[in-house]
Amino acid sequence: MYEQNSEWKEFYEELDPDRREKLLEELLASAADDGANAFRQQLFHKRYTDPKNPKHRIDLFLQQCIYLPVIYRKRKSFMVNVKKEMRLTLEALELKKAEDGSAAEQGVLYAEIRNAAERYFKTCSGSRYGSYLFGLSRAKEEDKERLAAKDAWMMAVGMPRAANLEKEMQLFSDAVHDAFCARYVSGEELMRDVEETLKENGRI
């Protein structure tokens, strides 16, 4: 669905920012420009550079993956302006800019967001994910899968729907969905179960 350049496959599969930076430099110097190299470089630096302290490395795209489920859970609070929050997300993830970009640039953004989502879901298998009682009790693997599916659904479906921005966030939703289903064999089923459970509990 999204145009992909096979020369950049290793770069988008790598999750470590430092290794990705080295691969970026190498590929920019050796790979043929597919018309999206400038955008690819721009996205990388926007994602990992703290605007308040350029020497400090962050992951802005990963932050969005963490932030959106939190906002979804608080969406009915009088303090949360869902539409405003999602507009800020569209800007942070360059979704509005890519909307008018080339197929190659849209493919690059999809791959970069999917990389961030894959980094997020990798943390979901960690020992602390889903723990309770102040971290003293650890979640079972099946519980972690259900929690990860819930986060994936809130990112890819819940928030775009709540803000009525499903069209504008389609690329992001596809990237998150594909990253989750690539990590979990029963990903599609898990996400469907999340939606059904939320409906049954009157939370949608």
Side-chain angles (χ1 to χ4, degrees):
M1 183 176 179
Y2 296 98
E3 186 174 306
Q4 297 296 300
N5 185 327
S6 59
E7 289 187 276
W8 288 83
K9 186 175 184 291
E10 184 181 359
F11 174 73
Y12 288 113
E13 289 179 347
E14 178 59 60
L15 301 182
D16 181 81
D18 292 330
R19 292 176 187 163
R20 296 193 78 220
E21 186 171 32
K22 290 179 182 177
L23 285 169
L24 177 68
E25 293 171 356
E26 291 171 6
L27 287 163
L28 286 174
S30 63
D33 190 350
D34 55 4
N37 275 4
F39 185 56
R40 189 176 275 116
Q41 191 172 20
Q42 173 194 333
L43 276 182
F44 182 89
H45 291 297
K46 177 169 184 177
R47 176 178 169 182
Y48 294 115
T49 303
D50 185 345
K52 295 180 180 178
N53 181 6
K55 293 182 179 180
H56 178 227
R57 174 156 281 173
I58 59 171
D59 190 337
L60 180 62
F61 286 16
L62 178 61
Q63 285 179 359
Q64 292 299 318
C65 292
I66 295 169
Y67 185 55
L68 292 181
V70 174
I71 292 298
Y72 185 80
R73 292 185 180 95
K74 296 182 177 181
R75 69 193 184 283
K76 294 182 180 179
S77 167
F78 70 93
M79 296 179 67
V80 176
N81 185 328
V82 172
K83 198 84 168 182
K84 180 182 178 182
E85 295 295 337
M86 293 309 292
R87 291 292 181 190
L88 292 174
T89 292
L90 289 175
E91 182 179 337
L93 296 173
E94 297 288 358
L95 288 165
K96 293 180 74 175
K97 185 178 291 186
E99 197 174 283
D100 299 322
S102 66
E105 289 174 333
Q106 290 173 7
V108 163
L109 182 58
Y110 163 86
E112 196 67 47
I113 292 174
R114 179 168 171 169
N115 178 276
E118 287 172 352
R119 191 178 186 197
Y120 177 86
F121 293 125
K122 183 180 179 181
T123 68
C124 296
S125 60
S127 60
R128 293 184 178 277
Y129 184 71
S131 62
Y132 53 99
L133 293 178
F134 304 101
L136 297 176
S137 184
R138 305 296 171 85
K140 297 177 181 178
E141 288 306 314
E142 56 267 31
D143 293 333
K144 290 180 184 180
E145 284 192 4
R146 284 194 290 270
L147 285 170
K150 191 172 183 180
D151 285 352
W153 185 89
M154 287 188 286
M155 281 186 259
V157 182
M159 279 307 302
R161 185 184 292 171
N164 195 27
L165 290 171
E166 291 169 282
K167 180 181 177 182
E168 292 87 341
M169 292 197 67
Q170 188 64 57
L171 184 149
F172 172 82
S173 297
D174 290 340
V176 171
H177 168 275
D178 294 349
F180 180 75
C181 291
R183 185 162 191 87
Y184 298 95
V185 176
S186 55
E188 292 277 4
E189 183 182 351
L190 285 165
M191 288 183 71
R192 282 197 300 269
D193 287 347
V194 165
E195 183 156 0
E196 288 303 314
T197 301
L198 290 172
K199 283 180 180 176
E200 289 172 6
N201 294 336
R203 295 185 178 180
I204 295 181

